[in-house]
Amino acid sequence: MKTIDVCLSPELIHLFDLKGKLVVIVDILRATSCMTTGMAHGVKAIRPFADQAACREMKKQNYFLAGERNGIKVEDFDLGNSPFDYMQEEVKGNKVAVTTTNGTVAIEKSAEADEIVIGSFLNITAVAEYLKNQDKDVIVFCAGWKGKVNLEDSLFAGALVAKLKDDFESACDAPLFAQAAFEYTEASLLEAVKNSSHAKRLNGMNIHEDIEFCMKLDEYKVVPVIRDGEITLSN
Amino acid sequence: MKTIDVCLSPELIHLFDLKGKLVVIVDILRATSCMTTGMAHGVKAIRPFADQAACREMKKQNYFLAGERNGIKVEDFDLGNSPFDYMQEEVKGNKVAVTTTNGTVAIEKSAEADEIVIGSFLNITAVAEYLKNQDKDVIVFCAGWKGKVNLEDSLFAGALVAKLKDDFESACDAPLFAQAAFEYTEASLLEAVKNSSHAKRLNGMNIHEDIEFCMKLDEYKVVPVIRDGEITLSN
């Protein structure tokens, strides 16, 4: 049987052997939710950058620039990090260069993986079905918050493990732990995440609507993957 | 209100500021369960060593030697790492020098803390009551398994957070996550831990009885603390 493992923080990723594996990147608030939304709304491709200056350079190649640092939009960029920014008509058919605090760091740390998939609650069932059809062990890689474990990414990992329990066995304890926390929280998922310290930290920035949107299940059926350094659709 | 935080792996401890904090070390299978058992059965003091050779040196000072590497007793040592070893009559009133794979590493990494307490399911209520009476923020430090998150230490962290919910607020998301997993698992705690990958890894070593013992709640009322590098009783 294929195995599934969960990495709860980028600070733990060196303990996982990514070679030959399929890695699911998770940064629910809000990088991977934005990427999913963008791809579902017709963005042509999204190129992630850990470095803000390198991201800015892409303007010359007619990329839209998107990004935040510590939850705040970079001043001269076109888009912030709200999923609603990615629904704008003018972005459709164009490419976006994005930099975020945690999400792009996780993507850069996954370079050794065989394949990288973008996961969010917005496309969780589509991602789960995609994973079932690949012949690869899976590592769910939570972006966390500045190295620390956060609730929304961890609960997504648990939700994905629960969806895949008949097709994958846990490679270690973290999937069992995350699944238990998800099962306990499932009936009040939005409320739990609203009360998390991460959400409270972001609450001062008026992202109440973003959180509600990012916690919606199966809003989209797209499965964004990374090919040649850019996020594109799997099919 | 005082705060409580949870560090799920020694690989994350650098993200926590331990200064002025009370750290609870957790290595349920089996270091902190052994330490709790030893102190409850009249061991005079326990000195932890990350280094096996340094531990062996303590024989000259009439310490009993205890320890394992990768779950197996060190050949020329007096005690292994079963809590039952610490109940032996000849150990009573004596000092023990111990080295373990994960537990002593966690203790060494907690050197900056204001106070270090040894926690296990065997003394969880005693530890909780002790923490309520101290005027300090708490960090529950899970020893994990070779840097990875393990189920039994994480569930203990969640159980302790649940017991302290009226007296401490969560400093971050990890306490909320661990508490949710514990609440879901509470009714079948032993079964969940038996099915964990860590326990399965140890199962080949005939530690079935050890696991059942280590998962017993409130077998003892002792609160072992570290003073001058040795584990002793708090009162």
Side-chain angles (χ1 to χ4, degrees):
Chain A
M1 202 185 245
K2 293 182 286 184
T3 64
I4 189 164
D5 209 343
V6 171
C7 177
L8 293 168
S9 153
E11 302 277 331
L12 299 175
I13 195 66
H14 62 284
L15 301 167
F16 295 76
D17 182 10
L18 304 185
K19 289 194 197 81
K21 305 275 168 65
L22 191 160
V23 169
V24 181
I25 304 282
V26 187
D27 185 3
I28 300 298
L29 298 177
R30 294 164 272 180
T32 60
S33 299
C34 284
M35 291 164 181
T36 303
T37 303
M39 295 314 295
H41 283 263
V43 170
K44 198 172 172 187
I46 300 172
R47 183 174 286 268
F49 291 90
D51 180 61
Q52 195 172 301
C55 184
R56 188 176 280 112
E57 281 295 302
M58 299 305 287
K59 192 74 192 169
K60 296 171 189 161
Q61 295 178 46
N62 294 319
Y63 278 66
F64 277 73
L65 304 186
E68 51 84 26
R69 274 297 176 273
N70 300 313
I72 297 164
K73 175 179 167 291
V74 181
E75 204 177 357
D76 61 323
F77 278 21
D78 306 298
L79 314 176
N81 62 339
S82 164
F84 297 106
D85 294 353
Y86 285 76
M87 296 176 188
Q88 296 173 50
E89 197 56 32
E90 61 265 34
V91 189
K92 205 168 171 175
N94 285 297
K95 291 188 171 188
V96 174
V98 63
T99 180
T100 71
T101 314
N102 306 289
T104 47
V105 174
I107 290 172
E108 290 211 338
K109 287 195 173 191
S110 303
E112 284 204 332
D114 209 52
E115 184 168 4
I116 302 173
V117 170
I118 301 300
S120 67
F121 284 108
L122 298 168
N123 68 341
I124 186 167
T125 298
V127 167
E129 292 306 315
Y130 183 80
L131 301 181
K132 284 181 193 174
N133 291 325
Q134 308 302 308
D135 191 27
K136 294 194 182 85
D137 294 332
V138 167
I139 293 171
V140 188
F141 185 0
C142 300
W145 179 260
K146 298 187 176 181
K148 292 186 87 175
V149 171
N150 78 30
L151 195 63
E152 65 278 10
D153 296 349
S154 305
L155 291 177
F156 172 87
L160 194 57
V161 171
K163 274 191 182 291
L164 295 173
K165 65 177 189 294
D166 295 334
D167 300 82
F168 291 80
E169 62 182 357
S170 294
C172 212
D173 280 3
L176 305 170
F177 181 47
Q179 188 185 348
F182 167 71
E183 302 278 7
Y184 183 73
T185 315
E186 187 175 8
S188 56
L189 209 53
L190 175 62
E191 197 182 352
V193 169
K194 274 186 184 169
N195 288 324
S196 73
S197 63
H198 188 180
K200 281 179 183 163
R201 192 161 31 224
L202 294 171
N203 252 340
M205 303 173 192
N206 276 327
I207 68 148
H208 191 74
E209 282 185 354
D210 281 7
I211 295 177
E212 292 212 347
F213 183 75
C214 292
M215 296 306 295
K216 280 190 181 175
L217 290 166
D218 298 323
E219 190 76 3
Y220 303 121
K221 288 186 174 139
V222 295
V223 178
V225 296
I226 301 193
R227 301 250 162 86
D228 300 325
E230 285 197 340
I231 295 158
T232 180
L233 289 179
S234 64
N235 43 21
Chain B
M1 201 184 244
K2 294 182 284 184
T3 65
I4 188 164
D5 209 342
V6 172
C7 176
L8 292 167
S9 153
E11 302 277 332
L12 299 175
I13 195 67
H14 61 283
L15 301 166
F16 294 76
D17 181 10
L18 305 184
K19 288 193 198 82
K21 305 274 170 63
L22 191 159
V23 169
V24 180
I25 304 282
V26 187
D27 185 5
I28 300 298
L29 298 177
R30 293 164 275 180
T32 59
S33 298
C34 284
M35 290 164 181
T36 304
T37 303
M39 296 313 296
H41 283 264
V43 170
K44 198 172 171 187
I46 299 173
R47 183 174 285 270
F49 290 90
D51 181 61
Q52 195 171 299
C55 184
R56 188 176 279 111
E57 280 295 301
M58 299 306 287
K59 192 74 191 171
K60 294 172 189 161
Q61 294 179 48
N62 293 319
Y63 278 65
F64 277 73
L65 303 187
E68 52 80 30
R69 273 296 176 274
N70 300 313
I72 298 164
K73 175 180 168 290
V74 181
E75 204 177 356
D76 61 323
F77 278 21
D78 305 299
L79 313 176
N81 62 339
S82 164
F84 297 105
D85 294 352
Y86 285 76
M87 297 175 188
Q88 295 174 50
E89 197 56 31
E90 61 266 33
V91 189
K92 204 168 172 175
N94 285 296
K95 290 188 171 187
V96 174
V98 64
T99 180
T100 71
T101 313
N102 306 290
T104 48
V105 173
I107 289 172
E108 291 210 338
K109 287 194 172 192
S110 303
E112 284 204 331
D114 207 52
E115 183 167 5
I116 302 173
V117 170
I118 301 300
S120 68
F121 285 109
L122 298 169
N123 68 340
I124 186 168
T125 299
V127 166
E129 292 305 315
Y130 183 79
L131 300 181
K132 284 181 194 175
N133 291 323
Q134 307 301 308
D135 190 27
K136 293 194 182 86
D137 293 334
V138 166
I139 294 171
V140 188
F141 185 1
C142 299
W145 179 260
K146 298 186 176 182
K148 292 186 86 175
V149 171
N150 79 29
L151 194 63
E152 65 277 9
D153 295 350
S154 305
L155 291 177
F156 172 86
L160 194 57
V161 171
K163 276 192 181 290
L164 295 173
K165 65 178 190 292
D166 295 334
D167 300 81
F168 290 80
E169 62 182 356
S170 294
C172 210
D173 281 3
L176 305 170
F177 181 47
Q179 188 185 347
F182 166 72
E183 303 277 8
Y184 183 73
T185 315
E186 186 175 9
S188 56
L189 208 54
L190 175 61
E191 197 181 351
V193 170
K194 275 185 183 169
N195 288 324
S196 73
S197 63
H198 187 180
K200 281 178 182 162
R201 191 160 33 223
L202 294 171
N203 254 340
M205 303 174 192
N206 276 327
I207 68 146
H208 192 73
E209 282 186 354
D210 281 7
I211 295 177
E212 293 212 344
F213 184 76
C214 292
M215 296 306 295
K216 281 189 180 176
L217 291 166
D218 298 323
E219 191 75 4
Y220 304 121
K221 287 186 175 140
V222 295
V223 179
V225 297
I226 301 192
R227 302 251 161 87
D228 301 325
E230 286 198 338
I231 294 158
T232 180
L233 290 179
S234 63
N235 44 23

